Amino acid sequence: MTSTSRRVVAPSTTRREMLLGLLSAAALPAFAQVPQGDASRPIRIVVPFAPGGGNDVFARQMAKGLGELRKQAVVVDNKPGAGGNLGTGEVVRTPADGSTLLLGHTGTVSINPALYKGLKFDPRKDLAPVAMFASSALVLVVPAGSKVRTIADLVSEARSRPGAIDYASSGSGTGGHLSGEFFAERTGTRLTHIPYKGTNPALTDLAGGQVQMMFSVIPPALALVKGGRLRAIAVTSAKRLPSLPDVPTVMESGLPALADFESTLTYGILAPRGTPAAFVNELAAQMLKVAGEKEFQSRLDVEGAVPLLGGPAEYAALISRESAKWAAIVKSSGAVVE
Protein backbone atom coordinates (compact mmCIF):
# COMPACT_ATOMS: atom_id res chain seq x y z
CA MET A 1 0.00 0.00 0.00
CA THR A 2 1.46 3.44 -0.96
CA SER A 3 1.90 6.37 1.36
CA THR A 4 -0.68 8.23 -0.70
CA SER A 5 -3.27 5.53 -0.07
CA ARG A 6 -2.49 5.68 3.61
CA ARG A 7 -3.13 9.41 3.64
CA VAL A 8 -6.47 8.93 1.90
CA VAL A 9 -7.68 5.93 3.93
CA ALA A 10 -6.84 7.15 7.40
CA PRO A 11 -9.10 10.24 7.62
CA SER A 12 -11.86 8.53 5.58
CA THR A 13 -11.88 5.56 7.94
CA THR A 14 -12.15 7.88 10.93
CA ARG A 15 -15.21 9.63 9.53
CA ARG A 16 -16.76 6.31 8.56
CA GLU A 17 -16.19 4.87 12.02
CA MET A 18 -17.74 7.95 13.59
CA LEU A 19 -20.76 7.72 11.30
CA LEU A 20 -21.18 4.00 11.96
CA GLY A 21 -20.89 4.64 15.67
CA LEU A 22 -23.68 7.23 15.57
CA LEU A 23 -25.91 4.99 13.46
CA SER A 24 -25.30 2.04 15.78
CA ALA A 25 -26.19 4.13 18.81
CA ALA A 26 -29.42 5.23 17.16
CA ALA A 27 -30.30 1.63 16.37
CA LEU A 28 -29.77 0.38 19.93
CA PRO A 29 -32.86 -0.39 22.02
CA ALA A 30 -33.95 2.37 24.35
CA PHE A 31 -32.69 0.55 27.43
CA ALA A 32 -29.13 0.55 26.11
CA GLN A 33 -29.14 4.34 25.95
CA VAL A 34 -29.96 4.89 29.64
CA PRO A 35 -27.64 3.86 32.44
CA GLN A 36 -29.88 1.37 34.30
CA GLY A 37 -26.89 -0.86 34.91
CA ASP A 38 -24.77 2.01 36.21
CA ALA A 39 -24.02 1.05 39.79
CA SER A 40 -23.01 4.62 40.57
CA ARG A 41 -26.62 5.76 40.21
CA PRO A 42 -29.02 4.60 42.94
CA ILE A 43 -32.42 3.06 42.32
CA ARG A 44 -35.18 4.75 44.31
CA ILE A 45 -38.20 2.81 45.60
CA VAL A 46 -41.04 5.20 46.42
CA VAL A 47 -43.31 4.08 49.27
CA PRO A 48 -46.55 6.10 49.10
CA PHE A 49 -47.10 5.80 52.86
CA ALA A 50 -45.38 6.98 56.04
CA PRO A 51 -42.44 5.04 57.52
CA GLY A 52 -43.09 2.21 59.94
CA GLY A 53 -45.96 0.28 58.35
CA GLY A 54 -45.88 -2.98 56.42
CA ASN A 55 -45.40 -1.19 53.09
CA ASP A 56 -42.29 0.52 54.41
CA VAL A 57 -40.91 -2.63 56.03
CA PHE A 58 -41.32 -4.67 52.84
CA ALA A 59 -39.75 -1.95 50.67
CA ARG A 60 -36.70 -1.63 52.93
CA GLN A 61 -36.20 -5.38 53.04
CA MET A 62 -36.44 -5.55 49.25
CA ALA A 63 -34.09 -2.58 48.85
CA LYS A 64 -31.53 -4.24 51.08
CA GLY A 65 -31.58 -7.54 49.21
CA LEU A 66 -31.74 -5.97 45.77
CA GLY A 67 -28.87 -3.62 46.54
CA GLU A 68 -26.69 -6.50 47.69
CA LEU A 69 -27.56 -8.55 44.62
CA ARG A 70 -27.00 -5.74 42.11
CA LYS A 71 -24.10 -4.19 44.05
CA GLN A 72 -25.90 -0.91 43.60
CA ALA A 73 -27.44 1.56 46.03
CA VAL A 74 -31.21 1.04 46.37
CA VAL A 75 -32.91 3.63 48.56
CA VAL A 76 -36.43 3.96 49.96
CA ASP A 77 -38.24 7.28 49.67
CA ASN A 78 -41.47 7.70 51.67
CA LYS A 79 -44.03 9.97 49.96
CA PRO A 80 -47.27 9.67 52.00
CA GLY A 81 -50.50 11.48 51.26
CA ALA A 82 -53.95 11.20 49.66
CA GLY A 83 -54.37 7.52 50.41
CA GLY A 84 -51.17 6.64 48.57
CA ASN A 85 -52.01 8.68 45.48
CA LEU A 86 -49.35 11.33 46.08
CA GLY A 87 -46.38 8.96 45.88
CA THR A 88 -47.98 6.81 43.21
CA GLY A 89 -48.60 9.86 41.02
CA GLU A 90 -45.00 10.95 41.41
CA VAL A 91 -43.75 7.63 40.06
CA VAL A 92 -46.24 7.78 37.18
CA ARG A 93 -44.71 11.13 36.15
CA THR A 94 -41.11 9.98 36.55
CA PRO A 95 -39.04 9.25 33.40
CA ALA A 96 -39.10 5.56 32.52
CA ASP A 97 -35.33 5.19 32.80
CA GLY A 98 -35.15 2.56 35.53
CA SER A 99 -34.12 4.93 38.29
CA THR A 100 -37.47 5.08 40.13
CA LEU A 101 -39.82 2.28 41.20
CA LEU A 102 -42.99 2.07 43.27
CA LEU A 103 -43.88 -0.14 46.20
CA GLY A 104 -47.47 -0.88 45.24
CA HIS A 105 -50.26 -2.81 46.86
CA THR A 106 -53.88 -3.62 46.16
CA GLY A 107 -55.13 -0.38 47.69
CA THR A 108 -53.04 2.01 45.62
CA VAL A 109 -53.06 0.03 42.38
CA SER A 110 -56.44 -1.74 42.22
CA ILE A 111 -58.80 0.05 44.63
CA ASN A 112 -57.90 3.74 44.35
CA PRO A 113 -58.77 4.13 40.64
CA ALA A 114 -62.38 3.22 41.50
CA LEU A 115 -62.40 4.88 44.91
CA TYR A 116 -61.09 8.35 44.06
CA LYS A 117 -63.26 10.33 41.70
CA GLY A 118 -61.27 12.44 39.26
CA LEU A 119 -57.93 10.72 39.79
CA LYS A 120 -55.57 12.21 37.21
CA PHE A 121 -53.79 8.95 36.44
CA ASP A 122 -54.57 5.26 36.24
CA PRO A 123 -51.96 3.03 37.89
CA ARG A 124 -53.18 0.09 35.82
CA LYS A 125 -52.31 1.88 32.60
CA ASP A 126 -49.52 4.22 33.67
CA LEU A 127 -47.36 1.73 35.57
CA ALA A 128 -45.65 -1.49 34.49
CA PRO A 129 -45.80 -4.40 36.97
CA VAL A 130 -42.34 -5.80 37.74
CA ALA A 131 -42.84 -8.45 40.43
CA MET A 132 -45.21 -9.33 43.27
CA PHE A 133 -43.81 -10.86 46.41
CA ALA A 134 -46.34 -10.96 49.26
CA SER A 135 -49.96 -11.18 50.26
CA SER A 136 -51.37 -9.92 53.55
CA ALA A 137 -54.73 -10.85 55.02
CA LEU A 138 -56.83 -9.09 57.63
CA VAL A 139 -58.12 -10.54 60.87
CA LEU A 140 -61.72 -10.14 62.02
CA VAL A 141 -61.62 -9.21 65.70
CA VAL A 142 -64.28 -8.48 68.33
CA PRO A 143 -64.00 -7.36 71.98
CA ALA A 144 -62.90 -10.12 74.32
CA GLY A 145 -66.21 -9.92 76.18
CA SER A 146 -68.36 -10.22 73.05
CA LYS A 147 -70.75 -13.13 72.81
CA VAL A 148 -69.76 -13.50 69.16
CA ARG A 149 -67.31 -16.39 68.82
CA THR A 150 -67.76 -17.51 65.21
CA ILE A 151 -68.68 -16.11 61.83
CA ALA A 152 -72.04 -17.86 62.13
CA ASP A 153 -72.66 -16.05 65.42
CA LEU A 154 -71.83 -12.72 63.81
CA VAL A 155 -74.08 -13.26 60.80
CA SER A 156 -76.95 -14.38 63.02
CA GLU A 157 -76.54 -11.30 65.23
CA ALA A 158 -76.31 -8.96 62.23
CA ARG A 159 -79.42 -10.41 60.62
CA SER A 160 -81.43 -10.12 63.82
CA ARG A 161 -80.47 -6.45 64.30
CA PRO A 162 -79.93 -4.81 60.89
CA GLY A 163 -77.61 -1.81 61.12
CA ALA A 164 -77.06 -2.19 64.87
CA ILE A 165 -73.56 -3.64 64.59
CA ASP A 166 -70.84 -1.01 64.19
CA TYR A 167 -67.58 -1.99 62.58
CA ALA A 168 -64.45 0.11 62.80
CA SER A 169 -61.81 0.75 60.16
CA SER A 170 -58.66 2.83 59.89
CA GLY A 171 -60.43 5.10 57.40
CA SER A 172 -62.89 5.26 54.52
CA GLY A 173 -61.79 3.31 51.48
CA THR A 174 -59.22 1.23 53.35
CA GLY A 175 -58.98 -2.54 53.15
CA GLY A 176 -60.75 -2.87 56.49
CA HIS A 177 -63.66 -0.69 55.35
CA LEU A 178 -64.16 -2.45 52.02
CA SER A 179 -63.74 -5.89 53.59
CA GLY A 180 -66.66 -5.02 55.86
CA GLU A 181 -68.73 -3.95 52.86
CA PHE A 182 -67.77 -7.13 51.03
CA PHE A 183 -68.75 -9.24 54.05
CA ALA A 184 -72.12 -7.48 54.45
CA GLU A 185 -72.87 -7.83 50.74
CA ARG A 186 -72.11 -11.55 50.72
CA THR A 187 -74.07 -12.33 53.89
CA GLY A 188 -77.04 -10.09 53.11
CA THR A 189 -76.56 -8.12 56.31
CA ARG A 190 -76.38 -4.40 57.08
CA LEU A 191 -73.43 -3.18 59.13
CA THR A 192 -72.65 0.40 60.14
CA HIS A 193 -69.18 1.61 59.20
CA ILE A 194 -67.31 3.81 61.71
CA PRO A 195 -64.12 5.23 60.14
CA TYR A 196 -61.20 6.26 62.35
CA LYS A 197 -58.01 8.16 61.61
CA GLY A 198 -55.73 5.18 61.86
CA THR A 199 -55.66 1.59 63.05
CA ASN A 200 -54.62 2.14 66.67
CA PRO A 201 -57.51 4.43 67.71
CA ALA A 202 -59.95 2.07 66.01
CA LEU A 203 -58.56 -0.94 67.88
CA THR A 204 -58.57 0.99 71.15
CA ASP A 205 -62.28 1.73 70.83
CA LEU A 206 -62.97 -1.83 69.75
CA ALA A 207 -61.21 -3.21 72.82
CA GLY A 208 -63.26 -0.79 74.92
CA GLY A 209 -66.54 -1.95 73.39
CA GLN A 210 -67.41 1.32 71.63
CA VAL A 211 -67.67 -0.63 68.35
CA GLN A 212 -68.45 -4.31 67.85
CA MET A 213 -66.05 -5.61 65.19
CA MET A 214 -63.19 -4.76 62.88
CA PHE A 215 -61.27 -6.21 59.94
CA SER A 216 -57.79 -5.21 61.05
CA VAL A 217 -54.24 -5.49 59.77
CA ILE A 218 -52.66 -8.27 61.76
CA PRO A 219 -49.64 -7.03 63.80
CA PRO A 220 -51.40 -4.44 66.02
CA ALA A 221 -54.51 -6.62 66.43
CA LEU A 222 -52.42 -9.67 67.28
CA ALA A 223 -50.86 -7.87 70.22
CA LEU A 224 -54.31 -7.15 71.67
CA VAL A 225 -55.48 -10.70 71.00
CA LYS A 226 -52.49 -12.10 72.86
CA GLY A 227 -53.10 -9.58 75.64
CA GLY A 228 -56.65 -10.87 76.10
CA ARG A 229 -58.40 -7.65 75.06
CA LEU A 230 -59.67 -8.86 71.67
CA ARG A 231 -60.86 -12.16 70.24
CA ALA A 232 -59.83 -13.24 66.74
CA ILE A 233 -62.80 -14.74 64.89
CA ALA A 234 -61.41 -15.36 61.41
CA VAL A 235 -58.77 -14.36 58.87
CA THR A 236 -59.62 -13.19 55.37
CA SER A 237 -57.04 -15.27 53.48
CA ALA A 238 -57.76 -18.47 51.56
CA LYS A 239 -55.61 -20.47 53.99
CA ARG A 240 -54.87 -20.19 57.69
CA LEU A 241 -51.90 -18.02 58.60
CA PRO A 242 -48.71 -19.16 60.35
CA SER A 243 -49.05 -16.28 62.80
CA LEU A 244 -52.64 -17.32 63.73
CA PRO A 245 -52.74 -21.09 63.14
CA ASP A 246 -55.76 -21.67 65.39
CA VAL A 247 -57.91 -18.98 63.77
CA PRO A 248 -60.09 -20.26 60.89
CA THR A 249 -60.53 -18.52 57.58
CA VAL A 250 -63.82 -16.83 56.72
CA MET A 251 -64.24 -19.55 54.08
CA GLU A 252 -64.23 -22.19 56.82
CA SER A 253 -67.39 -20.74 58.37
CA GLY A 254 -69.51 -23.27 56.50
CA LEU A 255 -71.81 -20.57 55.15
CA PRO A 256 -72.35 -21.01 51.38
CA ALA A 257 -72.34 -17.24 50.83
CA LEU A 258 -68.77 -17.08 52.17
CA ALA A 259 -67.39 -20.18 50.45
CA ASP A 260 -65.02 -18.10 48.31
CA PHE A 261 -64.63 -15.05 50.54
CA GLU A 262 -61.10 -13.70 50.33
CA SER A 263 -59.87 -10.20 51.07
CA THR A 264 -56.13 -9.71 50.87
CA LEU A 265 -53.62 -7.04 49.91
CA THR A 266 -50.95 -7.95 47.39
CA TYR A 267 -47.58 -6.22 47.55
CA GLY A 268 -45.23 -5.74 44.62
CA ILE A 269 -42.96 -3.43 42.68
CA LEU A 270 -43.99 -1.39 39.65
CA ALA A 271 -42.12 0.92 37.28
CA PRO A 272 -43.26 3.85 35.13
CA ARG A 273 -44.95 2.69 31.94
CA GLY A 274 -42.42 2.55 29.13
CA THR A 275 -39.56 1.23 31.23
CA PRO A 276 -37.72 -1.14 28.84
CA ALA A 277 -38.95 -4.72 29.06
CA ALA A 278 -35.43 -6.13 29.24
CA PHE A 279 -34.69 -4.11 32.35
CA VAL A 280 -38.08 -4.94 33.89
CA ASN A 281 -37.45 -8.65 33.38
CA GLU A 282 -33.95 -8.36 34.82
CA LEU A 283 -35.29 -6.63 37.93
CA ALA A 284 -38.12 -9.14 38.24
CA ALA A 285 -35.72 -12.08 38.31
CA GLN A 286 -33.57 -10.36 40.93
CA MET A 287 -36.52 -9.35 43.12
CA LEU A 288 -38.00 -12.83 43.06
CA LYS A 289 -34.63 -14.21 44.10
CA VAL A 290 -34.59 -11.80 47.06
CA ALA A 291 -38.22 -12.56 47.94
CA GLY A 292 -37.53 -16.30 47.92
CA GLU A 293 -34.84 -16.04 50.58
CA LYS A 294 -35.48 -17.08 54.17
CA GLU A 295 -34.51 -13.68 55.60
CA PHE A 296 -37.09 -11.89 53.47
CA GLN A 297 -39.86 -14.39 54.16
CA SER A 298 -39.27 -14.31 57.91
CA ARG A 299 -39.86 -10.56 57.76
CA LEU A 300 -43.16 -11.17 55.97
CA ASP A 301 -44.26 -13.52 58.75
CA VAL A 302 -43.64 -10.88 61.42
CA GLU A 303 -45.93 -8.52 59.49
CA GLY A 304 -48.67 -11.12 59.08
CA ALA A 305 -47.98 -11.65 55.39
CA VAL A 306 -47.14 -14.73 53.31
CA PRO A 307 -45.07 -15.08 50.13
CA LEU A 308 -46.85 -14.63 46.81
CA LEU A 309 -44.29 -14.68 44.03
CA GLY A 310 -44.88 -13.73 40.41
CA GLY A 311 -43.26 -11.87 37.54
CA PRO A 312 -44.62 -9.08 35.33
CA ALA A 313 -47.30 -11.17 33.60
CA GLU A 314 -48.58 -12.78 36.80
CA TYR A 315 -48.65 -9.49 38.66
CA ALA A 316 -50.46 -7.74 35.80
CA ALA A 317 -53.10 -10.49 35.68
CA LEU A 318 -53.67 -10.28 39.44
CA ILE A 319 -54.01 -6.48 39.32
CA SER A 320 -56.64 -6.86 36.61
CA ARG A 321 -58.66 -9.38 38.65
CA GLU A 322 -58.40 -7.37 41.86
CA SER A 323 -59.37 -4.15 40.07
CA ALA A 324 -62.59 -5.68 38.75
CA LYS A 325 -63.46 -7.20 42.14
CA TRP A 326 -62.89 -4.06 44.21
CA ALA A 327 -64.41 -1.67 41.69
CA ALA A 328 -67.69 -3.58 42.01
CA ILE A 329 -67.53 -3.39 45.82
CA VAL A 330 -66.71 0.33 45.78
CA LYS A 331 -69.65 0.94 43.47
CA SER A 332 -72.15 -1.11 45.50
CA SER A 333 -71.01 0.45 48.79
CA GLY A 334 -70.99 4.02 47.48
CA ALA A 335 -67.55 4.53 49.08
CA VAL A 336 -66.37 7.06 46.50
CA VAL A 337 -63.98 9.83 47.62
CA GLU A 338 -64.64 13.14 45.89
Side-chain angles (χ1 to χ4, degrees):
M1 183 177 290
T2 65
S3 60
T4 301
S5 63
R6 285 196 298 271
R7 286 195 300 272
V8 172
V9 170
S12 175
T13 300
T14 301
R15 287 192 298 271
R16 186 162 54 249
E17 288 173 347
M18 290 175 64
L19 179 60
L20 287 172
L22 291 171
L23 290 173
S24 298
L28 285 173
F31 65 84
Q33 299 181 47
V34 293
Q36 287 107 337
D38 182 2
S40 67
R41 185 180 68 162
I43 292 175
R44 181 173 65 121
I45 300 178
V46 173
V47 177
F49 297 99
N55 293 273
D56 185 58
V57 170
F58 299 153
R60 292 184 187 279
Q61 197 69 25
M62 178 58 72
K64 176 178 178 291
L66 188 62
E68 292 172 353
L69 195 61
R70 293 181 63 85
K71 303 194 182 319
Q72 180 177 3
V74 182
V75 299
V76 172
D77 187 7
N78 295 89
K79 296 285 185 180
N85 290 328
L86 185 65
T88 303
E90 178 175 319
V91 176
V92 165
R93 295 186 294 271
T94 299
D97 61 2
S99 64
T100 302
L101 305 171
L102 175 74
L103 188 284
H105 79 348
T106 302
T108 52
V109 177
S110 298
I111 295 176
N112 283 3
L115 182 66
Y116 287 85
K117 186 177 181 180
L119 196 62
K120 301 300 183 184
F121 58 87
D122 187 342
R124 300 163 299 182
K125 298 178 181 178
D126 298 328
L127 294 170
V130 177
M132 60 184 182
F133 54 78
S135 174
S136 178
L138 301 175
V139 57
L140 173 57
V141 284
V142 299
S146 172
K147 64 181 181 181
V148 171
R149 294 184 172 276
T150 66
I151 290 289
D153 290 344
L154 176 59
V155 172
S156 176
E157 181 74 7
R159 285 175 176 168
S160 67
R161 298 190 300 137
I165 293 181
D166 296 335
Y167 78 96
S169 81
S170 58
S172 294
T174 60
H177 171 203
L178 296 179
S179 293
E181 297 291 345
F182 187 27
F183 182 86
E185 180 183 286
R186 282 299 184 88
T187 57
T189 57
R190 183 159 58 85
L191 306 173
T192 300
H193 175 228
I194 309 295
Y196 285 77
K197 293 182 178 179
T199 298
N200 288 334
L203 286 172
T204 297
D205 271 9
L206 178 65
Q210 280 75 39
V211 288
Q212 287 75 56
M213 58 177 280
M214 180 177 177
F215 287 94
S216 172
V217 291
I218 290 174
L222 185 58
L224 292 171
V225 169
K226 290 181 176 179
R229 299 186 65 195
L230 295 178
R231 179 185 302 128
I233 299 300
V235 292
T236 61
S237 50
K239 297 180 180 179
R240 294 194 183 195
L241 299 176
S243 56
L244 290 166
D246 298 325
V247 179
T249 67
V250 175
M251 292 183 186
E252 291 181 78
S253 67
L255 300 178
L258 299 174
D260 62 349
F261 184 97
E262 183 178 7
S263 178
T264 56
L265 297 177
T266 303
Y267 297 84
I269 300 292
L270 303 99
R273 180 67 65 184
T275 300
F279 184 59
V280 167
N281 290 332
E282 175 187 312
L283 275 181
Q286 293 169 338
M287 289 177 179
L288 292 177
K289 178 176 175 59
V290 172
E293 293 173 354
K294 185 177 180 180
E295 180 183 359
F296 189 92
Q297 295 192 359
S298 65
R299 185 71 253 186
L300 296 182
D301 186 47
V302 170
E303 296 298 322
V306 295
L308 181 65
L309 308 184
E314 292 84 1
Y315 193 15
L318 183 63
I319 288 172
S320 179
R321 293 196 302 272
E322 288 186 330
S323 296
K325 170 183 175 178
W326 291 111
I329 295 168
V330 167
K331 182 177 180 180
S332 64
S333 68
V336 175
V337 178
E338 297 291 341

